[in-house]
Amino acid sequence: MITWDNSLNSLFINGKWQGSISGRSESVINPATHEKLTEVAWAGRTEAESAIQSASSAFPSWSKMTARERSKILYRTHELLLERVDRLSTILTMEQGKPLAEARGEIRSAANFFLWYAEEANRLYGEWIPSSIPGKRLLVKPEPIGVIAAITPWNFPSSMIARKLAPALASGCTVILKPAPETPLSAIELVSILAEAGVPDGVVNLVTGDALEIGSALMESRDVRLITFTGSTEVGKLLMKGSADTLKKLSLELGGHAPILVFEDANLERAANQTLASKFRNSGQTCICANRVYVHENVKERFIDLLQNKIRHLKAGNGLEKGVDLGPLINRQSLDKVQSHVEDAIQKGANVLNGGAPLQVDLSGHFYSPTLLTKVTNDMKVMQEETFGPLLPLQTFIEESDVIHRANNTDYGLAAYLFTENLSRATRVSEALEYGIVGVNDVFPAVPEAPFGGIKQSGIGKEGGAQGIHEYVNIKYISTIIDE
């Protein structure tokens, strides 16, 4: 049985748990059952400004700690996350809805980000540059950028926090964390673990509450030097505009519209399994999941048969129950968007092979049946917009050059996937795809040791890998003339 002690004191500022000044709170709802789990504090501008001051005051001492000292705290965070996988994954499923097995995988992923950046903290190197001028010494030195604000989404409420906080803390930055209002409990648990692991007071601050008030305070503050955000492209653009007056650095992981290209020489069993794993993971509420499939005309019938047979065996329900593959959509608006995409496609001539309607289960949540569409045309919403739900549209192709063009013909550029057994084609097509991430026979490319991020309107900057920590540093160049 999961309980929350003093959940109304869910703000963590300067090392202390506290409630909102107004006393206002908001309920946290289980999206599968619509059961109220608990309430959390609902903060605004005043609490956000207090968190900024706390992070600013803590920055000088935290940034001056040795990398090894910060590294030890991150190692301990990694250990505590793994020790508490069962509790953390249960909480994640209860407030977000995804199946428990997926939640466990997310907690392990979060732990691995802290492990990776515990190591990277000690590898943040500078360099001496050989000078062309006698008596001059040229030093390039990375330094932590300062106070950063992390705004995280509800679809991966633990791993998205870890991907931002681990490199920020490793580099010597201090943090204000604003989690999604749908999933504050995972953030509270993670911040509690960081405090237990030894993060000093003020280094990590948590504010739950009003997005507009908190966001405005973060954007307007001269002390906040970077905003890292995962969410929609529309909100990312608002953050760019709002932070322009203070010229903040931005790290944005935004929307996606990932294509899957299945060539005629592909291993179709593997392609079908991975397509379904990508599309229906977290009920399609994933920024890099498959949004459209292009399959070669010569293998379309076999591939569609494989998809249909596998879709029929997917089970929807409460993520805490055994054998559940699909949890609920996060809210009514998400369900309505999926339904609008399906209805638009049907009106324009699409054929529904599986699903196509809300799913009736013995629960109160918003469930949608896993849906496969064929006879899909490019003027349909599902081929132009990110659905963020369990809806898979399929088109066919013949020429390689044509499918590359269609895959690239979008404002998004986060992730793309292709299935082929031909090494030359794999290399040629992966280089031609205009995406920040390309998976060849692999729809799960995200790992802590590799950079993750998009191009075009899918974002700015990278998370993960050696590149991820560099988002949180300034490069200082020191030129010195010495007597010889």
Side-chain angles (χ1 to χ4, degrees):
M1 180 69 177
I2 300 293
T3 59
W4 292 272
D5 297 328
N6 297 319
S7 61
L8 292 179
N9 292 324
S10 55
L11 310 179
F12 191 69
I13 300 173
N14 199 28
K16 296 180 177 61
W17 292 101
Q18 59 191 63
S20 63
I21 293 172
S22 67
R24 182 183 170 190
S25 64
E26 286 291 316
S27 299
V28 183
I29 304 298
N30 183 328
T33 64
H34 284 184
E35 168 196 6
K36 177 181 172 180
L37 301 175
T38 186
E39 295 183 10
V40 297
W42 192 258
R45 174 178 285 273
T46 301
E47 294 90 342
E49 290 174 345
S50 178
I52 293 168
Q53 179 58 50
S54 171
S56 183
S57 298
F59 175 71
S61 58
W62 177 249
S63 62
K64 286 183 172 59
M65 287 176 65
T66 66
R68 184 67 67 189
E69 290 174 310
R70 293 195 297 267
S71 177
K72 288 179 180 178
I73 294 173
L74 299 185
Y75 275 123
R76 182 58 182 151
T77 302
H78 163 258
E79 292 171 350
L80 291 171
L81 283 166
L82 292 182
E83 288 173 11
R84 298 173 192 175
V85 163
D86 288 344
R87 173 181 170 84
L88 296 171
S89 57
T90 300
I91 290 172
L92 198 162
T93 293
M94 291 175 71
E95 68 172 347
Q96 199 277 335
K98 68 179 59 176
L100 193 56
E102 288 186 23
R104 287 195 182 102
E106 180 175 341
I107 299 302
R108 294 189 182 99
S109 172
N112 286 336
F113 273 97
F114 281 101
L115 175 62
W116 173 257
Y117 284 107
E119 297 164 342
E120 284 298 289
N122 300 296
R123 296 195 286 258
L124 190 54
Y125 304 130
E127 61 178 330
W128 284 101
I129 300 174
S131 175
S132 60
I133 300 172
K136 182 173 281 197
R137 299 296 183 266
L138 313 179
L139 172 64
V140 176
K141 183 174 181 286
E143 295 183 340
I145 198 169
V147 176
I148 72 106
I151 304 173
T152 56
W154 51 262
N155 59 335
F156 288 90
S158 294
S159 61
M160 294 300 101
I161 291 174
R163 287 203 329 198
K164 298 177 187 302
L165 266 59
L169 296 173
S171 70
C173 294
T174 55
V175 179
I176 302 105
L177 170 62
K178 164 64 176 72
E182 295 86 353
T183 53
L185 302 178
S186 293
I188 293 168
E189 293 289 322
L190 205 157
V191 169
S192 297
I193 284 175
L194 283 165
E196 183 179 342
V199 171
D201 292 353
V203 171
V204 174
N205 303 271
L206 170 65
V207 285
T208 57
D210 190 289
L212 290 177
E213 286 198 20
I214 295 170
S216 295
L218 297 174
M219 288 187 289
E220 293 168 11
S221 171
R222 295 171 63 185
D223 290 331
V224 176
R225 304 295 176 82
L226 176 146
I227 293 179
T228 174
F229 167 76
T230 296
S232 71
T233 297
E234 290 73 22
V235 174
K237 291 177 180 179
L238 290 175
L239 290 173
M240 291 188 76
K241 293 174 182 176
S243 59
D245 287 344
T246 52
L247 283 179
K248 298 187 194 309
K249 186 176 181 182
L250 294 168
S251 177
L252 304 175
E253 197 261 280
L254 307 177
H257 195 40
I260 288 183
L261 284 58
V262 182
F263 288 92
E264 60 182 325
D265 62 351
N267 179 325
L268 293 185
E269 183 74 26
R270 174 195 287 165
N273 284 335
Q274 292 219 19
T275 296
L276 263 70
S278 172
K279 174 71 269 184
F280 299 116
R281 179 189 183 198
N282 201 17
S283 291
Q285 299 171 120
T286 307
C287 58
I288 62 169
C289 74
N291 273 269
R292 50 208 164 108
V293 174
Y294 302 97
V295 60
H296 196 280
E297 181 72 30
N298 292 347
V299 295
K300 70 173 183 180
E301 293 182 4
R302 282 188 291 152
F303 184 69
I304 290 171
D305 285 344
L306 285 169
L307 289 179
Q308 286 193 274
N309 288 333
K310 295 174 188 301
I311 288 173
R312 292 190 190 105
H313 290 91
L314 294 176
K315 179 183 176 182
N318 189 329
L320 295 177
E321 297 175 0
K322 283 188 176 181
V324 168
D325 303 296
L326 295 168
L329 296 173
I330 193 67
N331 53 36
R332 179 73 197 190
Q333 290 85 351
S334 295
L335 185 142
D336 289 344
K337 183 177 182 181
V338 178
Q339 185 62 32
S340 72
H341 280 197
V342 171
E343 291 174 355
D344 173 77
I346 292 172
Q347 290 171 3
K348 294 173 180 175
N351 186 21
V352 180
L353 297 187
N354 297 78
L359 195 59
Q360 300 301 316
V361 297
D362 190 22
L363 293 167
S364 301
H366 300 297
F367 293 85
Y368 202 90
S369 56
T371 299
L372 177 63
L373 301 180
T374 58
K375 296 184 179 178
V376 175
T377 55
N378 291 334
D379 62 334
M380 297 175 184
K381 288 181 180 179
V382 71
M383 295 300 288
Q384 301 295 326
E385 302 174 9
E386 183 179 31
T387 302
F388 232 60
L391 171 58
L392 185 64
L394 186 146
Q395 288 187 349
T396 63
F397 71 94
I398 296 175
E399 297 297 331
E400 179 183 301
S401 59
D402 172 57
V403 74
I404 291 171
H405 171 75
R406 287 194 285 175
N408 287 339
N409 189 25
T410 174
D411 288 333
Y412 297 105
L414 184 52
Y417 311 103
L418 64 135
F419 287 88
T420 178
E421 297 297 296
N422 183 303
L423 178 60
S424 294
R425 171 175 285 143
T427 303
R428 187 170 60 244
V429 175
S430 62
E431 291 177 352
L433 288 169
E434 297 170 354
Y435 291 82
I437 304 164
V438 176
V440 179
N441 299 327
D442 177 21
V443 297
F444 297 116
V447 290
E449 59 270 23
F452 183 103
I455 60 174
K456 298 190 280 188
Q457 293 190 35
S458 285
I460 300 169
K462 299 295 180 184
E463 295 182 329
Q467 295 83 355
I469 199 169
H470 287 279
E471 295 292 320
Y472 299 93
V473 299
N474 289 321
I475 299 300
K476 178 179 284 185
Y477 162 49
I478 302 172
S479 176
T480 304
I481 292 180
I482 65 171
D483 295 328
E484 291 188 328

